[in-house]
Structure formats: C-alpha cells, structure tokens
Amino acid sequence: MTTYTPRDEQDASIIIREAADRGTLLNVSGNGTKAPMGRPNQTDASISSSAMTGITLYEPSELVISARSGTPVLEVMRVLAAKGQELPFEPMDYRGLLGTRGEPTIGAVAAMNLSGPRRIMAGAARDSLIGVRFVNGRGEVVKSGGRVMKNVTGLDLVKLMAGSWGTLGFLTEVTFKVLPKQERMATLAIRGLDDRQAIEALSMALGSPFDVTGAAHVPDRDRRGGTTLIRLEGFRVSVDYRMNELKRLLKRFRFMDLLEGVGAEALWQSVRDVALLTDQGERAVWRVSTAPTKGPDLVAQVAQSLDAQWFYDWGGGLIWLSTPTRGDAGAPVLREAPRAFGGHAPLGRAPAEIRSTLDVFEPQPDALMTLTRGIKASFDPAGILNPGRMYAGI
C-alpha cells in the first residue's frame, strides 16, 4: 500500500484532491499508534501527518498553543512543562492497550477527542480545542476557530472535527487552550468497598465543593476488597484543606490512605491508559458509558452472561470492561445492556476478524445516521477519507 507523507498543508491538499479524482480511498493517520482501533483498513493508500511537525505558536501568557498535527504529544507536553503549564484534559495513551509503538501525535488527540481521568473537572480534548486547520475530501484547505479565546470564530466546526476520527478531513494544525500545572497532587484511597459503595463514595466526593480531579474504582480481585481513588490537585495549602474536609465527608467509609508522589502519579497513569486491562491476552476491551449510579447494575447484568473484568473511571460514568474474544466477544450483550441503562459501548480493542464485523460505535437511530451521512457527504463527497472506520458504509 502506498503511504503519502505530506510535508505541509499544500502537499496534503494536492494528494487528497488527486485521490478524490481517482476514487482512491485513503487511510488517515498520524504515527499509527491507534491503527488497531476501529474497523480494519479498507483503503487503497494511506496519508500520514508524521512529517508535519513543530510548534507553530505558543503564548504562555495567553494560555494557548498551536502545533502541526504530526507533532508528538510528548513534545507539546515538554514545551508546556518548561513554562509550568499542561494540557488540562490529560490525554490517554493507547499504546499499551493496543500493543503499538511510535509517538502519539497531537492531531490524533484532537481527531479522537482523547481525554483521561481529569475530564470530570477540565472537560475533554474537544473542550480545550479552540482552532483547527484541515484539508477536506475535496482537497480544500479549511481554517476554523482561532488562536486566542477572545477571537474565536467557527467554533462549532472545531468541535465537529474533534472525535471525527479522520472521516471529515485531514488535520494539519490544531490549537489548544492550556492551564497552569498543578503544584500538588494528592489521592485519597479507600479500601474494601464493593462497586455500589464505591460509586456512592465517588458521587459524594464529586458532589462536594472540593474540586475533585480524578474519581476511579478498581473492584476486588484479591479478596481484600476494591480500591476507590479520589484525586485533588492545586496549591499545597488548598489541597491540605480540601483533603481534610473530604476525609471528614467520607469518614463512614473508614479504611483510608493518602497517596502522593511518583507512586500516585503512576497509579493515575495506569487508570488513564487502561493498564489494568492491558495484560489480559487477546481479550476484547469495551469503553462503556452510562450514568454513574447505573454502572454497578449494568456491570452485574453483563457479568451474568460474560467472563468480564472491569474498572470505573469518571466517577463511574466510564467503565472499561474486557471480555473473551470467542465468537462475537459478547457484542450483543455489550450493545444491549448499556442501551437498557441509557448508555453506549464503543469497542476499544479486539482482533481484526471481530472488528471487521462490528461498528466501533453504538449504531445510531436512523435519523442520526441520516444526519451523519449528510455531514460526511458535505465534507467528503467522494467518501475517500477513512471509509468505514466508524460505521460501515460511511
């Protein structure tokens, strides 16, 4: 398969325009670290942003950074850290889960709307994305949004591109608002809670005025009960006060430890990157979203039918759940159960033979699918950009 690596936006425009004229289907990617996600490649060639790198604008005083889409996330984070700043949404790194190599790109973070545990406080990548440049399926260069929050136009188009998985356009530059890096991080770990007790504790913490930035629960796997994690960040004095008040609020749950330092940071990184389900062979991994209070009942229903392993993030609103890959990897159960609880279950990881038969995302109602097809047709009339990656036939 031919792989195109445009050096700049104009190169990308020519490649995509010619592909549209020929009807050549293009796989849109960065460095390929998330290639095993979505339906298997159904294209004739690939276009990669890996050669389009570099920070194009950074104004620490304005809390904004712009970078070409192929710029490694690590480089962006390094530049920000040098000025005491960070990407607020804590982007997830899929390499461990998917078994891939290379450096994740900042364009892929925007294209897949990646975010980690801090989403409950800071929002998703979409909420920090304020500007994009991209090439649509006609080969036209499109600019939307801006480089400072006080001068942003076309914001709805920016939000539309976030999470579009490269199906609407080839991103060439992205602009994010950033925040100062927190001075201190402290984690309250509560031991011995079952899923329902844990969600109750997390809901109490998130409903408090103490600005929780991480809320996760790892169920019992060693007969000692689960571990419930609540993270606070900020100035030292503020974290001290809020942590004491949080302990007082949750005192009836008793078995508490305070975690700080490198170990606590590694623990949250393992939650962010789903490391708890990484070393489980070829099991499929599902990313289940539902109302936090409905999570334990949803998981209990799934566990009645499947050999499932799971843990909770986002206060219980996100459930990472793994199932055996025999047959359909439990797809009928994982699609029906969340729907009954008002949620949905995108497929995060599975062998190619399973991904080839399933939509990555929950199939949408007919009216929404009609709207989705219309948007796709307006951006990519020939249907050459990542066809079928999210939904069959689109």
Side-chain angles (χ1 to χ4, degrees):
M1 178 188 295
T2 302
T3 299
Y4 299 104
T5 53
R7 295 167 298 175
D8 55 35
E9 202 169 63
Q10 293 308 311
D11 274 357
S13 174
I14 293 170
I15 291 167
I16 292 175
R17 187 183 309 118
E18 292 179 350
D21 291 342
R22 296 191 303 266
T24 300
L25 305 182
L26 293 174
N27 175 54
V28 177
S29 70
N31 277 332
T33 60
K34 302 164 194 69
M37 294 185 70
R39 294 172 70 89
N41 196 342
Q42 305 172 40
T43 57
D44 309 308
S46 179
I47 181 169
S48 166
S49 65
S50 58
M52 302 176 63
T53 62
I55 308 295
T56 56
L57 172 80
Y58 180 35
E59 296 184 2
S61 62
E62 295 287 346
L63 297 175
V64 64
I65 190 168
S66 299
R68 295 185 181 92
S69 58
T71 306
V73 175
L74 191 62
E75 180 181 342
V76 174
M77 295 174 68
R78 177 184 57 77
V79 170
L80 292 173
K83 295 293 184 179
Q85 297 178 345
E86 64 183 357
L87 294 171
F89 49 89
E90 203 173 3
M92 177 186 175
D93 185 345
Y94 271 98
R95 286 177 294 180
L97 183 65
L98 301 177
T100 54
R101 297 182 178 181
E103 288 294 330
T105 64
I106 194 66
V109 168
M112 299 182 70
N113 192 32
L114 300 183
S115 50
R118 201 179 289 119
R119 181 181 180 178
I120 57 174
M121 178 67 177
R126 176 183 286 116
D127 299 298
S128 293
L129 185 66
I130 61 173
V132 294
R133 294 181 66 94
F134 65 95
V135 180
N136 66 17
R138 297 183 179 88
E140 300 167 336
V141 176
V142 180
K143 174 185 179 295
S144 180
R147 289 184 164 187
V148 291
M149 283 302 295
K150 60 190 176 186
N151 183 32
V152 174
T153 58
L155 198 58
D156 289 344
L157 185 54
V158 173
K159 305 308 183 187
L160 185 64
M161 292 301 294
S164 62
W165 284 50
T167 59
L168 302 180
F170 177 74
L171 285 170
T172 58
E173 183 184 81
V174 294
T175 300
F176 286 101
K177 62 180 180 180
V178 300
L179 289 178
K181 190 173 180 62
Q182 303 297 330
E183 181 180 271
R184 180 186 175 197
M185 180 188 79
T187 299
L188 183 66
I190 308 175
R191 315 288 182 183
L193 304 185
D194 62 27
D195 287 12
R196 286 182 175 80
Q197 292 171 325
I199 298 305
E200 181 184 0
L202 294 177
S203 296
M204 290 175 65
L206 288 168
S208 76
F210 305 131
D211 292 339
V212 171
T213 67
H217 174 67
V218 182
D220 178 18
R221 289 197 175 91
D222 53 16
R223 298 185 179 181
R224 293 187 298 177
T227 302
T228 307
L229 303 169
I230 303 170
R231 182 177 64 185
L232 301 181
E233 296 176 289
F235 293 111
R236 290 185 177 278
V237 174
S238 172
V239 171
D240 282 339
Y241 170 77
R242 287 182 286 133
M243 183 59 72
N244 288 333
E245 292 299 310
L246 189 61
K247 288 179 180 178
R248 188 174 291 113
L249 176 68
L250 302 175
K251 61 183 179 182
R252 69 184 176 89
F253 295 105
R254 296 193 299 173
F255 301 109
M256 299 182 186
D257 295 315
L258 184 62
L259 308 178
E260 295 191 77
V262 175
E265 291 179 7
L267 181 59
W268 282 106
Q269 183 174 319
S270 71
V271 171
R272 182 196 73 186
D273 299 340
V274 201
L276 300 168
L277 301 181
T278 295
D279 298 325
Q280 294 193 358
E282 291 297 314
R283 290 171 68 91
V285 176
W286 301 80
R287 191 174 182 273
V288 184
S289 296
T290 188
T293 54
K294 296 180 180 179
D297 290 331
L298 190 161
V299 167
Q301 182 171 317
V302 170
Q304 288 179 352
S305 304
L306 300 171
D307 172 24
Q309 298 289 333
W310 65 90
F311 73 91
Y312 301 85
D313 197 1
W314 298 353
L318 173 62
I319 308 165
W320 288 100
L321 189 148
S322 74
T323 59
T325 54
R326 297 187 300 272
D328 54 19
V333 174
L334 264 301
R335 286 283 153 85
E336 183 58 35
R339 192 180 301 125
F341 287 90
H344 54 89
L347 178 61
R349 181 186 77 181
E353 57 269 22
I354 292 176
R355 289 185 289 116
S356 65
T357 62
L358 296 174
D359 284 328
V360 175
F361 292 94
E362 184 82 15
Q364 299 181 28
D366 290 344
L368 288 179
M369 285 303 294
T370 298
L371 179 61
T372 299
R373 291 189 181 94
I375 293 172
K376 170 69 171 176
S378 67
F379 281 79
D380 180 22
I384 64 168
L385 301 177
N386 271 357
R389 187 74 187 269
M390 298 175 71
Y391 298 103
I394 300 180

